[in-house]
Amino acid sequence: MTTPVSSFTETFDAIFLAIVIFSVITLLLITAFMVYFVIRYNRKRHPRAEPIHGNTTLEIIWTVIPLLIVSGMFYYGYEGFRYLREVPEDAFSVNVVGRMWDWTFQYENGKTSDKLYVPLDRNVKLSMTSLDVNHSFFIPAFRVKEDVVPGRTTYLWFKPQTVGPADVFCAEYCGQRHAYMLSEVVVLEPEVFERWYTGEETAPPAAVPSATDAAPAREVTGFTEDQRERARKVLWDNGCFSCHTTDGSENLGPSLKGLYGQDRYVLVDGQERVIPADGDYLRRAIVDPDAELVKGYDGVIMPPADDLDPEELNLIIEYIKSLR
Ligand code: CUA
């Protein structure tokens, strides 16, 4: 499958190519003249320098020609910019929320996902904001990029013209895991998109990272599939997966797998202590993570998740207990 393109791709590439061609021609002309003058006026052939005092024709030529070229470049650049900033009225609207270090896409009917699903051949408008620091939403294949700034709503639009996935990057350095702030825009056939958009499920299969490949057999029974999905949704919504994995692999914070029941080596007011990771410990570690800093992770600040309601908090704790 080829990389999808947007209605900007061709236009912008043409402008870019034209500017490159102009630049190369200019470079060749300047080099040719330079070489010619070096040979023509070297000391052997031209022993006596003769200064020139003004040449109006020449001055007009070297002013007017570059002016025309630069004006042409400006015209096409400006037209391209206007096209980019004027969102068509009928655009399909999606809200984008950036935060360290993931993207969330919110649709008008209440759906959310971690990949941007869009219908083919339809104008799409993204209204974007950030929950923390400056990010930049970048779809290289579509030739669109726009800063995503806290406390502000920025926008961009595009019209996808081929089906398939394309990369989404964060193009503004935003901290330790900036390079992992990745997502995808997935262009779907209109019928396929419609089925997903109006479908019952709140998110497409890949929206919440699945734990099924993360040792499902060893999860404690008694914690239902439904509770597990809800717990993962709470963790996802609170950004926990940015730093914690559930499969034992390393990330910014300790993995949640096998955490329960371990001895934790923690720093309390600079003093090292050993605490068993029981339910109470997990609760403290979620609500007030700075009070007992886990050794080896004491340089990483975890934002306290103190706005969880008691039910959500219990759900998470039970979920962590189940990850053996
Ligand atoms: Cu977000 Cu870099």
Side-chain angles (χ1 to χ4, degrees):
M1 206 181 297
T2 50
T3 311
V5 297
S6 75
S7 51
F8 298 128
T9 311
E10 209 178 299
T11 320
F12 290 2
D13 288 5
I15 296 173
F16 185 77
L17 185 67
I19 291 175
V20 169
I21 290 172
F22 269 125
S23 307
V24 170
I25 291 173
T26 311
L27 174 75
L28 291 177
L29 276 178
I30 290 172
T31 313
F33 273 118
M34 202 173 69
V35 171
Y36 170 76
F37 283 123
V38 166
I39 295 167
R40 174 74 180 77
Y41 293 102
N42 73 16
R43 205 167 165 192
K44 266 184 247 149
R45 287 181 202 208
H46 206 87
R48 268 199 52 178
E50 292 163 49
I52 298 165
H53 298 283
N55 185 328
T56 313
T57 321
L58 200 59
E59 281 176 25
I60 288 173
I61 291 173
W62 79 39
T63 306
V64 171
I65 292 179
L67 188 70
L68 290 176
I69 294 173
V70 175
S71 304
M73 286 182 188
F74 175 79
Y75 173 76
Y76 285 109
Y78 183 72
E79 280 302 300
F81 178 73
R82 256 202 4 201
Y83 182 34
L84 199 64
R85 299 314 291 164
E86 282 172 5
V87 185
E89 297 261 308
D90 63 345
F92 178 79
S93 184
V94 182
N95 287 331
V96 179
V97 179
R99 71 173 166 204
M100 295 188 254
W101 288 276
D102 56 58
W103 300 104
T104 308
F105 304 99
Q106 303 168 339
Y107 297 80
E108 276 183 340
N109 69 353
K111 276 208 164 202
T112 60
S113 69
D114 67 343
K115 283 183 186 175
L116 176 58
Y117 294 89
V118 291
L120 182 67
D121 269 330
R122 178 104 181 257
N123 298 320
V124 177
K125 180 190 180 184
L126 304 182
S127 302
M128 311 185 291
T129 194
S130 165
L131 296 180
D132 38 46
V133 299
N134 288 10
H135 303 278
S136 181
F137 189 85
F138 185 24
I139 311 175
F142 289 1
R143 312 290 189 260
V144 287
K145 178 165 74 176
E146 187 65 35
D147 281 0
V148 178
V149 181
R152 226 199 257 185
T153 304
T154 53
Y155 70 92
L156 59 79
W157 78 277
F158 56 82
K159 183 179 186 181
Q161 295 188 318
T162 349
V163 169
D167 290 323
V168 169
F169 295 117
C170 176
E172 181 70 54
Y173 183 69
C174 56
Q176 256 166 321
R177 288 184 66 78
H178 156 71
Y180 297 91
M181 193 166 166
L182 308 169
S183 183
E184 261 182 357
V185 48
V186 183
V187 184
L188 303 169
E189 293 287 355
E191 315 84 68
V192 181
F193 176 79
E194 211 52 37
R195 225 176 303 142
W196 172 75
Y197 188 62
T198 54
E200 278 300 300
E201 77 276 34
T202 49
V208 175
S210 168
T212 42
D213 40 23
R218 282 194 278 163
E219 287 193 20
V220 169
T221 46
F223 196 59
T224 67
E225 192 62 19
D226 177 54
Q227 284 174 307
R228 202 176 65 98
E229 283 310 313
R230 271 170 44 224
R232 291 188 69 80
K233 176 97 171 57
V234 174
L235 289 168
W236 177 257
D237 289 345
N238 285 278
C240 308
F241 290 137
S242 293
C243 301
H244 300 282
T245 69
T246 55
D247 60 1
S249 61
E250 269 300 307
N251 200 333
L252 280 187
S255 179
L256 303 181
K257 187 186 174 187
L259 179 57
Y260 180 67
Q262 265 185 5
D263 282 338
R264 304 302 276 167
Y265 293 81
V266 297
L267 296 167
V268 185
D269 300 327
Q271 299 276 322
E272 197 178 319
R273 290 217 197 124
V274 187
I275 303 181
D278 54 14
D280 284 341
Y281 165 79
L282 293 178
R283 188 177 303 270
R284 293 196 304 275
I286 296 166
V287 179
D288 188 11
D290 288 347
E292 296 164 337
L293 289 168
V294 179
K295 238 185 118 191
Y297 296 98
D298 44 310
V300 189
I301 306 292
M302 169 175 151
D306 45 13
D307 54 348
L308 295 170
D309 64 44
E311 199 249 325
E312 288 175 327
L313 192 54
N314 277 330
L315 198 62
I316 295 178
I317 292 168
E318 289 307 314
Y319 176 64
I320 295 173
K321 283 186 187 176
S322 79
L323 291 168
R324 298 300 178 83

